[in-house]
Amino acid sequence: MFTGDRTGMVDGAEKDVRQRAQERGVDRKFRSRPFQRRSQVKKIKRSLAAIWFILPLLFSIYSSAPLVNRAQAQSFPSALIDLWQTDSTRERRKKVTPELVERLRRLRSAERVPVILQLNDKPGGQLNSLLNRSGINIRRYMQSLGTYSIELPVSFVEYLSSFDEVLNVSLDQEIIPFGHISKTTGADAVREQKSTSLPGLLQTTSYLDGTGISIAVLDSGIDTSHKSFLNKNNGLRVTASRDFTGEGRTDDPYGHGTHVASTAAGNGRVSNGEYIGIAPNAEIINLRVLNSHGAGSVSALLAALDWVLQNRAAYRIRVVNMSLGAPSVSSYKDDPVCRAVRKLVDAGIVVVAAAGNNGKNSTGDKLYGQIHSPGNEPSAITVGAVNTFGTDSRSDDVVASYSSRGPTRSYSTDVEGVKHFDNLIKPDVAAPGNKLIYAQAARNLLVTQNPLLDAGVSNVDSRKMMYLNGTSMATPVVAGAAALLLQVNPNLTPNMIKAILMYTAQPLAGYNMLEQGAGEINLEGAVRLAKLVRTDLTASTPLGAPLLTTAPPAPQTTIAGHTFTWSQGLILNQNYAIGIDFIAKYQKVYGTGLLLGDGTRITNGVILGDSTRLSMGVILGDNIMTSNGVILGDGAVFLQGSMLLGDGVILGDGVILGDGVILGDGVILGDSILRSDAATQAMSATTGGDAIATTNVEADDGVDYLGY
């Protein structure tokens, strides 16, 4: 705000300027009445002479007088701008950056604007005098940089740029933390949701952060002293903790579970929101199934799943995260963990599971058929890992070379000893999982053994952050995404959420369905679609009834300047299907007690649709495709469906299409392996990972960021 009395300052200055201009015969905006006619030549000469006389005069008046008030600020600068039409002035205007020019166009001349003033020399007497005038607020002077942070009226920005010692005038922009994972997944783009209940009413704004949804994290425990797990009122969002390892503790001496939980639901208090989780206000259920060394047992895992089933209503559990796995040997029809997962999904709980980290062998060749249990369960959302190279744009994203590929090779054996392999297309989707920075449990084993995992964000235990890689890290990204979809539309079934995530995913060019499923998740598109799904759908809703409340949205999303098209299709057990009917019409497979793939049947390796579960507008494929990066099924055939569906060995059942390593070797830590044959089997903590360019770490200033 301006201070002091400046009434009449500009009036007097402008009157003086007009009088002098009239005396010298300047026929411009300052005249109050037309001058007598003169010859054109004399007018031009006198006008030019007046311009050179008036410019220093105007500056002298401005330098010796206080600044203008809001009501009087416009006339003087506008006259000045009219006079400044020389080439040198155009050069001076280049000193004003484009974003500041754009801001000036939207503001009134009397309004104030914060700018950064960069100098190429010490300010001279006239500029110094200007900067020290009342009304120009010097916020900070950075001597070593020769830079000022100042606030001044919009009207005088261009005038400020006229000084020779001024190098550049730019907008003092608000620095918005990019929070890489939340931005590249599209979560940042949907944080604020605007809605209007009735025509003519004021628009309301809600914040999409997982409020009201609980995510059960089955892992190595959670360090609840970490700042990442508080709500805005400093209350702990870990609402229940149980130990199933027998160690009698629920903290995280191993270090894996804390990182996983904060990926799904970390609040972003550390480093000004740079490492915010996907659903930063969701509640967390801490179910410890891995011991101090990261080992666990199937029995412990089953006990935890049983607890979830019994307590889901009391704790509002809608999502379960399982960043762990065991080698999938028994068919999902027989595997006890898979069967338990199916019960949870049938009860309306979204279960998200890691694909595993066995995507390549020791020589760097791709491996197929290495999906872990319970990722081989068709009702679970199985997640592969994407390497984003630390950028927000998705144009350079690739499937991480360590990410386990399908098909599922769990099997059953008939009475004659013949193996019948499940051969499901997995993973279902992929998500960022390479070198993610999230909460570090105090004094955990992973960092103790591998000090470089500490990201160097803070020296305070409750604010430390660490790196981890793997499908274990990609899985909570999807779990957090599911929580956001449920906040938008609580009536969504697990199959609907799975379908929406697949339909809106981005197929990554050059990767087949056994590597990425439908593609990399896209929360911007998924939320936009979930908001339109009817909330009155029931088991009795007829097949083909309208699914959305309005017309289907445009199947495109732009994130960090990169626009991509949705996959517009679903992975269905052993094949894929595309078509707008998936979002335009209700499909029976969206109900509970069913699988998305239940709408298809197989005859001699040919995929047929079942019109009792899928509408006739759904187009089914018959091959495993390598994507061109446009929509699902747009690329070249990778594998014929009949080869995938047959029993026995598939392409050697080991190294398949050994086309080498996608990226350089590195280190990957933290993917939990539960082995059913040994309750205390040590974890496979290190495997081949993907190298990444140097990540810029945002250090923590110790002050809580509360913008989540």
Side-chain angles (χ1 to χ4, degrees):
M1 294 290 293
F2 289 102
T3 58
D5 183 11
R6 293 169 176 79
T7 304
M9 292 298 178
V10 170
D11 287 344
E14 187 171 335
K15 182 177 180 181
D16 186 45
V17 172
R18 287 178 179 174
Q19 182 178 349
R20 291 175 182 273
Q22 290 171 1
E23 290 172 356
R24 298 188 61 84
V26 179
D27 186 17
R28 298 189 61 85
K29 286 187 177 181
F30 291 156
R31 66 188 180 183
S32 59
R33 288 182 291 274
F35 290 104
Q36 296 178 348
R37 293 184 175 276
R38 300 179 178 88
S39 68
Q40 191 67 26
V41 174
K42 288 183 178 180
K43 285 178 63 177
I44 294 173
K45 288 182 177 180
R46 290 177 180 177
S47 297
L48 291 174
I51 289 173
W52 291 109
F53 173 81
I54 288 173
L55 283 178
L57 176 62
L58 291 177
F59 177 73
S60 176
I61 294 172
Y62 176 72
S63 298
S64 61
L67 289 178
V68 299
N69 62 23
R70 291 178 180 268
Q72 299 168 327
Q74 300 185 24
S75 59
F76 176 73
S78 64
L80 203 61
I81 290 172
D82 285 340
L83 290 173
W84 287 358
Q85 298 297 334
T86 64
D87 289 339
S88 61
T89 300
R90 294 189 183 96
E91 289 300 316
R92 289 167 181 167
R93 287 179 178 176
K94 290 181 181 179
K95 297 179 181 179
V96 183
T97 59
E99 72 273 11
L100 180 53
V101 171
E102 183 61 31
R103 173 68 67 87
L104 297 180
R105 288 172 180 166
R106 298 197 300 266
L107 297 177
R108 294 174 300 174
S109 59
E111 293 186 73
R112 298 171 66 79
V113 62
V115 302
I116 298 296
L117 173 64
Q118 298 182 69
L119 304 179
N120 53 31
D121 200 356
K122 292 182 179 180
Q126 291 179 329
L127 178 56
N128 217 15
S129 177
L130 171 63
L131 293 176
N132 286 284
R133 288 289 174 185
S134 61
I136 290 190
N137 179 21
I138 298 179
R139 293 177 164 181
R140 180 175 298 175
Y141 173 49
M142 293 148 277
Q143 185 175 4
S144 298
L145 301 177
T147 301
Y148 287 86
S149 170
I150 66 177
E151 183 185 66
L152 76 170
V154 167
S155 307
F156 298 110
V157 171
E158 188 172 13
Y159 179 58
L160 181 65
S161 69
S162 69
F163 291 91
D164 291 338
E165 56 264 53
V166 171
L167 179 66
N168 182 269
V169 185
S170 58
L171 184 65
D172 189 359
Q173 301 187 77
E174 178 185 6
I175 300 299
I176 301 173
F178 288 130
H180 168 63
I181 298 304
S182 63
K183 183 165 187 178
T184 195
T185 57
D188 285 355
V190 296
R191 289 291 184 213
E192 287 192 358
Q193 296 291 303
K194 299 184 182 299
S195 60
T196 303
S197 56
L198 292 172
L201 294 183
L202 291 176
Q203 193 175 62
T204 59
T205 301
S206 59
Y207 198 67
L208 194 57
D209 55 7
T211 297
I213 307 298
S214 290
I215 303 172
V217 178
L218 281 64
D219 215 285
S220 61
I222 297 175
D223 180 0
T224 57
S225 67
H226 201 283
K227 291 286 187 179
S228 292
F229 304 116
L230 299 177
N231 60 27
K232 288 188 177 181
N233 297 320
N234 290 319
L236 184 62
R237 288 183 295 116
V238 180
T239 57
S241 293
R242 299 290 186 275
D243 177 56
F244 298 94
T245 68
E247 291 185 337
R249 60 192 301 179
T250 56
D251 61 344
D252 188 18
Y254 185 62
H256 188 265
T258 300
H259 189 278
V260 166
S262 63
T263 305
N267 58 28
R269 286 200 179 197
V270 176
S271 296
N272 296 312
E274 183 71 15
Y275 311 116
I276 192 169
I278 303 300
N281 201 42
E283 294 179 344
I284 305 167
I285 309 298
N286 172 24
L287 303 180
R288 189 167 180 265
V289 297
L290 302 177
N291 65 19
S292 301
H293 299 282
S297 65
V298 168
S299 59
L301 184 56
L302 289 173
L305 293 172
D306 180 65
W307 188 94
V308 171
L309 201 56
Q310 293 185 41
N311 294 276
R312 66 186 185 279
Y315 291 96
R316 299 184 295 182
I317 302 173
R318 298 296 305 274
V319 183
V320 168
N321 187 89
M322 302 176 71
S323 293
L324 42 76
S328 57
V329 179
S330 297
S331 169
Y332 69 84
K333 301 173 184 176
D334 304 315
D335 186 309
V337 178
C338 291
R339 291 174 66 89
V341 166
R342 178 74 64 89
K343 287 186 177 181
L344 266 64
V345 174
D346 288 346
I349 300 172
V350 179
V351 178
V352 190
N357 295 330
N358 299 107
K360 61 181 180 181
N361 62 14
S362 58
T363 62
D365 295 322
K366 286 185 181 181
L367 288 175
Y368 284 79
Q370 297 293 316
I371 300 293
H372 290 166
S373 169
N376 63 322
E377 164 54 33
S379 67
I381 302 177
T382 306
V383 185
V386 168
N387 188 347
T388 68
F389 294 99
T391 64
D392 292 328
S393 174
R394 297 159 67 110
S395 59
D396 59 350
D397 291 6
V398 299
V399 175
S401 63
Y402 53 74
S403 183
S404 285
R405 299 169 174 83
T408 62
R409 297 301 288 162
S410 49
Y411 61 89
S412 59
T413 305
D414 62 21
V415 293
E416 296 179 0
V418 177
K419 294 180 179 178
H420 299 273
F421 292 88
D422 293 333
N423 283 336
L424 303 179
I425 299 176
K426 289 280 186 172
D428 300 300
V429 291
N434 208 71
K435 207 168 187 182
L436 304 195
I437 300 176
Y438 281 105
Q440 175 179 326
R443 298 172 292 279
N444 73 75
L445 182 63
L446 285 174
V447 173
T448 299
Q449 295 180 341
N450 307 275
L452 291 179
L453 291 181
D454 188 322
V457 168
S458 175
N459 292 321
V460 180
D461 281 346
S462 63
R463 307 180 74 88
K464 287 184 177 180
M465 311 296 277
M466 65 186 291
Y467 295 104
L468 282 179
N469 306 319
T471 58
S472 278
M473 285 58 255
T475 302
V477 172
V478 177
L484 296 188
L485 297 185
L486 286 167
Q487 183 185 357
V488 166
N489 190 336
N491 292 328
L492 295 176
T493 65
N495 282 353
M496 283 182 180
I497 289 174
K498 186 176 183 180
I500 289 171
L501 289 173
M502 287 196 285
Y503 191 91
T504 58
Q506 174 192 359
L508 299 179
Y511 296 96
N512 62 63
M513 296 173 181
L514 298 174
E515 297 176 287
Q516 64 174 324
E520 183 179 1
I521 68 163
N522 159 34
L523 258 173
E524 188 281 330
V527 168
R528 185 150 45 98
L529 183 55
K531 288 173 63 178
L532 302 178
V533 175
R534 290 168 47 190
T535 58
D536 60 347
L537 300 170
T538 66
S540 60
T541 301
L543 174 67
L547 180 65
L548 306 180
T549 57
T550 65
Q556 284 188 324
T557 289
T558 299
I559 294 177
H562 175 64
T563 300
F564 56 88
T565 302
W566 302 352
S567 79
Q568 302 170 64
L570 275 60
I571 300 296
L572 302 177
N573 288 357
Q574 295 166 322
N575 62 305
Y576 73 94
I578 59 175
I580 197 171
D581 272 16
F582 276 130
I583 60 172
K585 297 179 180 179
Y586 178 74
Q587 309 298 329
K588 282 294 184 180
V589 294
Y590 293 161
T592 54
L594 298 168
L595 299 174
L596 287 179
D598 284 348
T600 62
R601 48 196 176 91
I602 304 162
T603 303
N604 296 325
V606 177
I607 308 299
L608 302 175
D610 182 354
S611 60
T612 63
R613 301 281 174 83
L614 292 174
S615 63
M616 298 302 292
V618 173
I619 302 172
L620 294 131
D622 196 22
N623 296 303
I624 308 303
M625 308 295 291
T626 297
S627 178
N628 285 337
V630 183
I631 62 172
L632 197 67
D634 68 337
V637 175
F638 171 75
L639 183 66
Q640 293 180 0
S642 58
M643 295 181 65
L644 178 67
L645 299 173
D647 290 333
V649 175
I650 171 174
L651 294 183
D653 211 30
V655 178
I656 303 176
L657 303 181
D659 54 358
V661 181
I662 298 173
L663 301 171
D665 291 337
V667 177
I668 173 172
L669 291 103
D671 189 48
S672 306
I673 308 296
L674 282 171
R675 298 185 183 275
S676 58
D677 57 348
T680 58
Q681 177 69 41
M683 275 191 50
S684 175
T686 58
T687 63
D690 283 357
I692 187 173
T694 302
T695 302
N696 293 323
V697 175
E698 182 72 21
D700 180 47
D701 59 7
V703 178
D704 283 355
Y705 170 75
L706 299 177
Y708 55 93

